PDB file of all heavy atoms in Angstrom:
ATOM      1  N   SER A 214      -7.590 -31.134  33.712  1.00 95.00           N
ATOM      2  CA  SER A 214      -6.317 -30.683  34.500  1.00 95.00           C
ATOM      3  C   SER A 214      -6.590 -30.105  35.902  1.00 95.00           C
ATOM      4  O   SER A 214      -5.978 -30.396  36.813  1.00 95.00           O
ATOM      5  CB  SER A 214      -5.493 -29.695  33.644  1.00 95.00           C
ATOM      6  OG  SER A 214      -4.975 -30.281  32.460  1.00 95.00           O
ATOM      7  N   ILE A 217      -7.472 -32.976  38.070  1.00 95.00           N
ATOM      8  CA  ILE A 217      -6.255 -33.712  38.416  1.00 95.00           C
ATOM      9  C   ILE A 217      -5.476 -33.110  39.472  1.00 95.00           C
ATOM     10  O   ILE A 217      -5.008 -33.645  40.477  1.00 95.00           O
ATOM     11  CB  ILE A 217      -5.499 -34.125  37.217  1.00 95.00           C
ATOM     12  CG1 ILE A 217      -6.156 -35.203  36.287  1.00 95.00           C
ATOM     13  CG2 ILE A 217      -4.040 -34.593  37.481  1.00 95.00           C
ATOM     14  CD1 ILE A 217      -5.499 -35.281  34.932  1.00 95.00           C
ATOM     15  N   VAL A 218      -5.334 -31.748  39.275  1.00 93.00           N
ATOM     16  CA  VAL A 218      -4.549 -30.914  40.232  1.00 93.00           C
ATOM     17  C   VAL A 218      -5.173 -30.976  41.610  1.00 93.00           C
ATOM     18  O   VAL A 218      -4.604 -31.074  42.630  1.00 93.00           O
ATOM     19  CB  VAL A 218      -4.362 -29.563  39.688  1.00 93.00           C
ATOM     20  CG1 VAL A 218      -3.779 -28.700  40.827  1.00 93.00           C
ATOM     21  CG2 VAL A 218      -3.417 -29.542  38.582  1.00 93.00           C
ATOM     22  N   ALA A 221      -4.806 -34.187  43.412  1.00 90.00           N
ATOM     23  CA  ALA A 221      -3.445 -34.401  43.931  1.00 90.00           C
ATOM     24  C   ALA A 221      -3.342 -33.588  45.319  1.00 90.00           C
ATOM     25  O   ALA A 221      -2.634 -34.082  46.188  1.00 90.00           O
ATOM     26  CB  ALA A 221      -2.465 -33.857  42.825  1.00 90.00           C
ATOM     27  N   GLY A 226      -3.983 -39.547  44.889  1.00 88.00           N
ATOM     28  CA  GLY A 226      -3.126 -39.845  43.694  1.00 88.00           C
ATOM     29  C   GLY A 226      -3.692 -40.766  42.812  1.00 88.00           C
ATOM     30  O   GLY A 226      -3.558 -40.609  41.602  1.00 88.00           O
ATOM     31  N   LEU A 228      -6.895 -41.301  42.088  1.00 94.00           N
ATOM     32  CA  LEU A 228      -7.874 -40.604  41.347  1.00 94.00           C
ATOM     33  C   LEU A 228      -7.312 -39.796  40.271  1.00 94.00           C
ATOM     34  O   LEU A 228      -7.761 -39.840  39.069  1.00 94.00           O
ATOM     35  CB  LEU A 228      -8.632 -39.796  42.256  1.00 94.00           C
ATOM     36  CG  LEU A 228      -9.738 -38.807  41.648  1.00 94.00           C
ATOM     37  CD1 LEU A 228     -10.766 -39.606  40.802  1.00 94.00           C
ATOM     38  CD2 LEU A 228     -10.538 -37.979  42.597  1.00 94.00           C
ATOM     39  N   SER A 229      -6.262 -39.048  40.498  1.00 94.00           N
ATOM     40  CA  SER A 229      -5.433 -38.322  39.522  1.00 94.00           C
ATOM     41  C   SER A 229      -5.002 -39.235  38.301  1.00 94.00           C
ATOM     42  O   SER A 229      -5.169 -38.898  37.158  1.00 94.00           O
ATOM     43  CB  SER A 229      -4.244 -37.594  40.111  1.00 94.00           C
ATOM     44  OG  SER A 229      -4.642 -36.597  40.910  1.00 94.00           O
ATOM     45  N   LEU A 230      -4.439 -40.469  38.757  1.00 94.00           N
ATOM     46  CA  LEU A 230      -3.946 -41.307  37.703  1.00 94.00           C
ATOM     47  C   LEU A 230      -5.091 -41.854  36.822  1.00 94.00           C
ATOM     48  O   LEU A 230      -5.127 -42.030  35.626  1.00 94.00           O
ATOM     49  CB  LEU A 230      -3.304 -42.483  38.402  1.00 94.00           C
ATOM     50  CG  LEU A 230      -1.962 -42.117  38.985  1.00 94.00           C
ATOM     51  CD1 LEU A 230      -1.361 -43.385  39.830  1.00 94.00           C
ATOM     52  CD2 LEU A 230      -0.891 -41.671  38.087  1.00 94.00           C
ATOM     53  N   GLU A 231      -6.338 -42.067  37.547  1.00 95.00           N
ATOM     54  CA  GLU A 231      -7.513 -42.648  36.769  1.00 95.00           C
ATOM     55  C   GLU A 231      -7.985 -41.599  35.809  1.00 95.00           C
ATOM     56  O   GLU A 231      -8.543 -41.920  34.724  1.00 95.00           O
ATOM     57  CB  GLU A 231      -8.557 -42.990  37.865  1.00 95.00           C
ATOM     58  CG  GLU A 231      -8.248 -44.344  38.638  1.00 95.00           C
ATOM     59  CD  GLU A 231      -9.233 -44.444  39.687  1.00 95.00           C
ATOM     60  OE1 GLU A 231     -10.217 -43.735  39.778  1.00 95.00           O
ATOM     61  OE2 GLU A 231      -9.047 -45.317  40.506  1.00 95.00           O
ATOM     62  N   LEU A 232      -7.988 -40.318  36.374  1.00 96.00           N
ATOM     63  CA  LEU A 232      -8.573 -39.232  35.406  1.00 96.00           C
ATOM     64  C   LEU A 232      -7.601 -39.002  34.235  1.00 96.00           C
ATOM     65  O   LEU A 232      -8.018 -38.781  33.121  1.00 96.00           O
ATOM     66  CB  LEU A 232      -8.623 -37.937  36.230  1.00 96.00           C
ATOM     67  CG  LEU A 232      -9.620 -37.906  37.157  1.00 96.00           C
ATOM     68  CD1 LEU A 232      -9.416 -36.708  38.236  1.00 96.00           C
ATOM     69  CD2 LEU A 232     -11.109 -37.721  36.595  1.00 96.00           C
ATOM     70  N   PHE A 233      -6.287 -39.195  34.416  1.00 96.00           N
ATOM     71  CA  PHE A 233      -5.433 -39.151  33.298  1.00 96.00           C
ATOM     72  C   PHE A 233      -5.650 -40.122  32.274  1.00 96.00           C
ATOM     73  O   PHE A 233      -5.613 -39.876  30.996  1.00 96.00           O
ATOM     74  CB  PHE A 233      -3.906 -39.158  33.812  1.00 96.00           C
ATOM     75  CG  PHE A 233      -2.941 -38.850  32.873  1.00 96.00           C
ATOM     76  CD1 PHE A 233      -2.516 -37.603  32.436  1.00 96.00           C
ATOM     77  CD2 PHE A 233      -2.060 -39.928  32.412  1.00 96.00           C
ATOM     78  CE1 PHE A 233      -1.647 -37.450  31.429  1.00 96.00           C
ATOM     79  CE2 PHE A 233      -1.126 -39.723  31.448  1.00 96.00           C
ATOM     80  CZ  PHE A 233      -0.920 -38.535  30.905  1.00 96.00           C
ATOM     81  N   ASP A 234      -5.671 -41.367  32.827  1.00 95.00           N
ATOM     82  CA  ASP A 234      -5.960 -42.443  31.853  1.00 95.00           C
ATOM     83  C   ASP A 234      -7.308 -42.296  31.130  1.00 95.00           C
ATOM     84  O   ASP A 234      -7.385 -42.570  29.896  1.00 95.00           O
ATOM     85  CB  ASP A 234      -6.009 -43.757  32.663  1.00 95.00           C
ATOM     86  CG  ASP A 234      -4.630 -44.251  33.074  1.00 95.00           C
ATOM     87  OD1 ASP A 234      -3.721 -43.759  32.516  1.00 95.00           O
ATOM     88  OD2 ASP A 234      -4.593 -45.029  34.071  1.00 95.00           O
ATOM     89  N   MET A 236      -8.733 -39.485  30.398  1.00 95.00           N
ATOM     90  CA  MET A 236      -8.580 -38.299  29.427  1.00 95.00           C
ATOM     91  C   MET A 236      -7.906 -38.887  28.162  1.00 95.00           C
ATOM     92  O   MET A 236      -8.271 -38.456  26.942  1.00 95.00           O
ATOM     93  CB  MET A 236      -7.788 -37.273  30.026  1.00 95.00           C
ATOM     94  CG  MET A 236      -7.490 -36.032  29.276  1.00 95.00           C
ATOM     95  SD  MET A 236      -6.646 -34.839  30.211  1.00 95.00           S
ATOM     96  CE  MET A 236      -4.972 -35.408  29.856  1.00 95.00           C
ATOM     97  N   PRO A 243      -3.013 -34.188  26.805  1.00 95.00           N
ATOM     98  CA  PRO A 243      -2.655 -33.505  27.980  1.00 95.00           C
ATOM     99  C   PRO A 243      -1.668 -32.251  27.713  1.00 95.00           C
ATOM    100  O   PRO A 243      -0.995 -32.322  26.647  1.00 95.00           O
ATOM    101  CB  PRO A 243      -1.949 -34.515  28.873  1.00 95.00           C
ATOM    102  CG  PRO A 243      -1.271 -35.499  27.793  1.00 95.00           C
ATOM    103  CD  PRO A 243      -2.405 -35.584  26.701  1.00 95.00           C
ATOM    104  N   GLU A 245       0.962 -29.081  29.598  1.00 95.00           N
ATOM    105  CA  GLU A 245       1.983 -28.887  30.583  1.00 95.00           C
ATOM    106  C   GLU A 245       1.313 -28.833  32.021  1.00 95.00           C
ATOM    107  O   GLU A 245       1.929 -29.508  32.944  1.00 95.00           O
ATOM    108  CB  GLU A 245       2.759 -27.578  30.309  1.00 95.00           C
ATOM    109  CG  GLU A 245       3.608 -27.604  29.186  1.00 95.00           C
ATOM    110  CD  GLU A 245       4.601 -26.341  29.039  1.00 95.00           C
ATOM    111  OE1 GLU A 245       4.407 -25.583  30.075  1.00 95.00           O
ATOM    112  OE2 GLU A 245       5.285 -26.333  28.085  1.00 95.00           O
ATOM    113  N   VAL A 246       0.195 -28.156  32.229  1.00 94.00           N
ATOM    114  CA  VAL A 246      -0.462 -28.125  33.478  1.00 94.00           C
ATOM    115  C   VAL A 246      -0.856 -29.533  33.953  1.00 94.00           C
ATOM    116  O   VAL A 246      -0.788 -29.931  35.073  1.00 94.00           O
ATOM    117  CB  VAL A 246      -1.563 -27.139  33.406  1.00 94.00           C
ATOM    118  CG1 VAL A 246      -2.359 -27.137  34.814  1.00 94.00           C
ATOM    119  CG2 VAL A 246      -1.173 -25.806  33.158  1.00 94.00           C
ATOM    120  N   THR A 247      -1.401 -30.326  32.952  1.00 96.00           N
ATOM    121  CA  THR A 247      -1.886 -31.758  33.308  1.00 96.00           C
ATOM    122  C   THR A 247      -0.698 -32.417  33.926  1.00 96.00           C
ATOM    123  O   THR A 247      -0.792 -33.210  34.995  1.00 96.00           O
ATOM    124  CB  THR A 247      -2.258 -32.381  32.091  1.00 96.00           C
ATOM    125  OG1 THR A 247      -3.181 -31.574  31.253  1.00 96.00           O
ATOM    126  CG2 THR A 247      -2.996 -33.719  32.418  1.00 96.00           C
ATOM    127  N   PHE A 248       0.579 -32.356  33.336  1.00 96.00           N
ATOM    128  CA  PHE A 248       1.616 -33.116  33.900  1.00 96.00           C
ATOM    129  C   PHE A 248       2.155 -32.561  35.164  1.00 96.00           C
ATOM    130  O   PHE A 248       2.728 -33.281  36.087  1.00 96.00           O
ATOM    131  CB  PHE A 248       2.730 -33.080  32.886  1.00 96.00           C
ATOM    132  CG  PHE A 248       2.564 -34.300  31.818  1.00 96.00           C
ATOM    133  CD1 PHE A 248       2.059 -33.961  30.519  1.00 96.00           C
ATOM    134  CD2 PHE A 248       2.838 -35.577  32.151  1.00 96.00           C
ATOM    135  CE1 PHE A 248       1.859 -34.992  29.597  1.00 96.00           C
ATOM    136  CE2 PHE A 248       2.488 -36.617  31.309  1.00 96.00           C
ATOM    137  CZ  PHE A 248       2.049 -36.257  29.981  1.00 96.00           C
ATOM    138  N   VAL A 249       2.008 -31.195  35.477  1.00 94.00           N
ATOM    139  CA  VAL A 249       2.282 -30.642  36.711  1.00 94.00           C
ATOM    140  C   VAL A 249       1.425 -31.306  37.708  1.00 94.00           C
ATOM    141  O   VAL A 249       1.850 -31.778  38.920  1.00 94.00           O
ATOM    142  CB  VAL A 249       2.198 -29.198  36.784  1.00 94.00           C
ATOM    143  CG1 VAL A 249       2.295 -28.635  38.263  1.00 94.00           C
ATOM    144  CG2 VAL A 249       3.225 -28.540  36.011  1.00 94.00           C
ATOM    145  N   GLY A 250       0.097 -31.389  37.440  1.00 93.00           N
ATOM    146  CA  GLY A 250      -0.742 -32.154  38.306  1.00 93.00           C
ATOM    147  C   GLY A 250      -0.405 -33.520  38.606  1.00 93.00           C
ATOM    148  O   GLY A 250      -0.508 -34.096  39.758  1.00 93.00           O
ATOM    149  N   MET A 251      -0.109 -34.321  37.519  1.00 95.00           N
ATOM    150  CA  MET A 251       0.266 -35.649  37.745  1.00 95.00           C
ATOM    151  C   MET A 251       1.463 -35.929  38.548  1.00 95.00           C
ATOM    152  O   MET A 251       1.534 -36.737  39.441  1.00 95.00           O
ATOM    153  CB  MET A 251       0.412 -36.321  36.250  1.00 95.00           C
ATOM    154  CG  MET A 251      -0.843 -36.505  35.425  1.00 95.00           C
ATOM    155  SD  MET A 251      -1.941 -37.759  36.334  1.00 95.00           S
ATOM    156  CE  MET A 251      -0.859 -39.142  36.295  1.00 95.00           C
ATOM    157  N   LEU A 252       2.391 -35.152  38.250  1.00 95.00           N
ATOM    158  CA  LEU A 252       3.649 -35.266  39.051  1.00 95.00           C
ATOM    159  C   LEU A 252       3.520 -34.848  40.369  1.00 95.00           C
ATOM    160  O   LEU A 252       4.042 -35.500  41.361  1.00 95.00           O
ATOM    161  CB  LEU A 252       4.859 -34.481  38.405  1.00 95.00           C
ATOM    162  CG  LEU A 252       5.362 -34.935  37.031  1.00 95.00           C
ATOM    163  CD1 LEU A 252       6.294 -33.868  36.273  1.00 95.00           C
ATOM    164  CD2 LEU A 252       5.931 -36.294  37.042  1.00 95.00           C
ATOM    165  N   ASN A 253       2.684 -33.893  40.665  1.00 91.00           N
ATOM    166  CA  ASN A 253       2.385 -33.408  41.987  1.00 91.00           C
ATOM    167  C   ASN A 253       1.661 -34.480  42.768  1.00 91.00           C
ATOM    168  O   ASN A 253       1.831 -34.850  43.906  1.00 91.00           O
ATOM    169  CB  ASN A 253       1.639 -32.277  42.030  1.00 91.00           C
ATOM    170  CG  ASN A 253       1.430 -31.578  43.438  1.00 91.00           C
ATOM    171  OD1 ASN A 253       2.401 -31.590  44.321  1.00 91.00           O
ATOM    172  ND2 ASN A 253       0.228 -31.068  43.641  1.00 91.00           N
ATOM    173  N   ALA A 254       0.764 -35.206  42.110  1.00 92.00           N
ATOM    174  CA  ALA A 254       0.019 -36.265  42.702  1.00 92.00           C
ATOM    175  C   ALA A 254       0.840 -37.370  42.999  1.00 92.00           C
ATOM    176  O   ALA A 254       0.681 -37.962  44.235  1.00 92.00           O
ATOM    177  CB  ALA A 254      -0.980 -36.827  41.656  1.00 92.00           C
ATOM    178  N   CYS A 255       1.882 -37.708  42.187  1.00 92.00           N
ATOM    179  CA  CYS A 255       2.791 -38.831  42.466  1.00 92.00           C
ATOM    180  C   CYS A 255       3.708 -38.449  43.710  1.00 92.00           C
ATOM    181  O   CYS A 255       4.099 -39.377  44.646  1.00 92.00           O
ATOM    182  CB  CYS A 255       3.636 -39.145  41.325  1.00 92.00           C
ATOM    183  SG  CYS A 255       2.724 -39.794  39.908  1.00 92.00           S
ATOM    184  N   SER A 256       3.982 -37.112  43.769  1.00 90.00           N
ATOM    185  CA  SER A 256       4.805 -36.688  44.898  1.00 90.00           C
ATOM    186  C   SER A 256       4.079 -36.645  46.174  1.00 90.00           C
ATOM    187  O   SER A 256       4.684 -37.230  47.168  1.00 90.00           O
ATOM    188  CB  SER A 256       5.255 -35.208  44.652  1.00 90.00           C
ATOM    189  OG  SER A 256       5.937 -34.697  45.633  1.00 90.00           O
ATOM    190  N   GLN A 257       2.692 -36.278  46.252  1.00 83.00           N
ATOM    191  CA  GLN A 257       2.036 -36.115  47.408  1.00 83.00           C
ATOM    192  C   GLN A 257       1.798 -37.606  47.950  1.00 83.00           C
ATOM    193  O   GLN A 257       1.577 -37.785  49.088  1.00 83.00           O
ATOM    194  CB  GLN A 257       0.752 -35.523  47.170  1.00 83.00           C
ATOM    195  CG  GLN A 257       0.776 -33.978  46.681  1.00 83.00           C
ATOM    196  CD  GLN A 257       1.036 -33.093  47.914  1.00 83.00           C
ATOM    197  OE1 GLN A 257       1.402 -33.506  49.006  1.00 83.00           O
ATOM    198  NE2 GLN A 257       1.282 -31.825  47.641  1.00 83.00           N
ATOM    199  N   LEU A 260       4.459 -41.955  45.047  1.00 90.00           N
ATOM    200  CA  LEU A 260       4.445 -42.787  43.777  1.00 90.00           C
ATOM    201  C   LEU A 260       5.654 -42.454  42.961  1.00 90.00           C
ATOM    202  O   LEU A 260       5.507 -41.990  41.814  1.00 90.00           O
ATOM    203  CB  LEU A 260       3.118 -42.744  43.052  1.00 90.00           C
ATOM    204  CG  LEU A 260       1.879 -43.017  43.950  1.00 90.00           C
ATOM    205  CD1 LEU A 260       0.476 -42.750  43.077  1.00 90.00           C
ATOM    206  CD2 LEU A 260       1.856 -44.490  44.373  1.00 90.00           C
ATOM    207  N   ILE A 263       6.121 -44.294  39.322  1.00 94.00           N
ATOM    208  CA  ILE A 263       5.156 -43.901  38.399  1.00 94.00           C
ATOM    209  C   ILE A 263       5.465 -42.519  37.973  1.00 94.00           C
ATOM    210  O   ILE A 263       5.266 -42.017  36.808  1.00 94.00           O
ATOM    211  CB  ILE A 263       3.712 -44.034  39.049  1.00 94.00           C
ATOM    212  CG1 ILE A 263       3.308 -45.421  39.182  1.00 94.00           C
ATOM    213  CG2 ILE A 263       2.649 -43.386  38.006  1.00 94.00           C
ATOM    214  CD1 ILE A 263       2.149 -45.687  39.996  1.00 94.00           C
ATOM    215  N   GLY A 264       5.764 -41.566  38.929  1.00 94.00           N
ATOM    216  CA  GLY A 264       6.118 -40.259  38.678  1.00 94.00           C
ATOM    217  C   GLY A 264       7.261 -40.101  37.638  1.00 94.00           C
ATOM    218  O   GLY A 264       7.215 -39.433  36.588  1.00 94.00           O
ATOM    219  N   HIS A 267       6.192 -41.126  34.129  1.00 94.00           N
ATOM    220  CA  HIS A 267       5.481 -39.949  33.466  1.00 94.00           C
ATOM    221  C   HIS A 267       6.487 -38.867  32.918  1.00 94.00           C
ATOM    222  O   HIS A 267       6.277 -38.384  31.882  1.00 94.00           O
ATOM    223  CB  HIS A 267       4.507 -39.324  34.311  1.00 94.00           C
ATOM    224  CG  HIS A 267       3.263 -40.160  34.353  1.00 94.00           C
ATOM    225  ND1 HIS A 267       2.428 -40.341  33.298  1.00 94.00           N
ATOM    226  CD2 HIS A 267       2.533 -40.798  35.417  1.00 94.00           C
ATOM    227  CE1 HIS A 267       1.313 -41.063  33.663  1.00 94.00           C
ATOM    228  NE2 HIS A 267       1.440 -41.368  34.986  1.00 94.00           N
ATOM    229  N   HIS A 283       8.125 -28.971  36.093  1.00 95.00           N
ATOM    230  CA  HIS A 283       8.008 -30.427  36.027  1.00 95.00           C
ATOM    231  C   HIS A 283       9.149 -31.001  36.900  1.00 95.00           C
ATOM    232  O   HIS A 283       8.991 -31.918  37.749  1.00 95.00           O
ATOM    233  CB  HIS A 283       7.931 -31.059  34.655  1.00 95.00           C
ATOM    234  CG  HIS A 283       6.752 -30.470  33.796  1.00 95.00           C
ATOM    235  ND1 HIS A 283       6.912 -29.702  32.868  1.00 95.00           N
ATOM    236  CD2 HIS A 283       5.481 -30.698  34.010  1.00 95.00           C
ATOM    237  CE1 HIS A 283       5.806 -29.302  32.276  1.00 95.00           C
ATOM    238  NE2 HIS A 283       4.925 -29.938  33.045  1.00 95.00           N
ATOM    239  N   CYS A 286       8.662 -30.659  40.592  1.00 93.00           N
ATOM    240  CA  CYS A 286       7.830 -31.671  41.167  1.00 93.00           C
ATOM    241  C   CYS A 286       8.591 -32.905  41.485  1.00 93.00           C
ATOM    242  O   CYS A 286       8.407 -33.579  42.412  1.00 93.00           O
ATOM    243  CB  CYS A 286       6.702 -31.913  40.265  1.00 93.00           C
ATOM    244  SG  CYS A 286       5.448 -30.645  40.064  1.00 93.00           S
ATOM    245  N   MET A 290       9.247 -34.790  44.775  1.00 93.00           N
ATOM    246  CA  MET A 290       8.811 -36.273  44.980  1.00 93.00           C
ATOM    247  C   MET A 290       9.990 -37.064  45.537  1.00 93.00           C
ATOM    248  O   MET A 290       9.732 -37.985  46.452  1.00 93.00           O
ATOM    249  CB  MET A 290       8.503 -36.769  43.521  1.00 93.00           C
ATOM    250  CG  MET A 290       8.107 -38.185  43.484  1.00 93.00           C
ATOM    251  SD  MET A 290       7.393 -38.562  41.833  1.00 93.00           S
ATOM    252  CE  MET A 290       8.831 -38.218  40.843  1.00 93.00           C
TER     253      MET A 290
END
Side-chain angles (χ1 to χ4, degrees):
S214 297
I217 287 170
V218 170
L228 176 57
S229 292
L230 295 173
E231 290 169 9
L232 288 165
F233 183 75
D234 290 340
M236 189 176 78
E245 291 187 0
V246 177
T247 314
F248 277 103
V249 168
M251 284 298 299
L252 293 170
N253 189 39
C255 294
S256 176
Q257 298 285 4
L260 304 173
I263 294 175
H267 278 297
H283 300 110
C286 290
M290 178 172 62

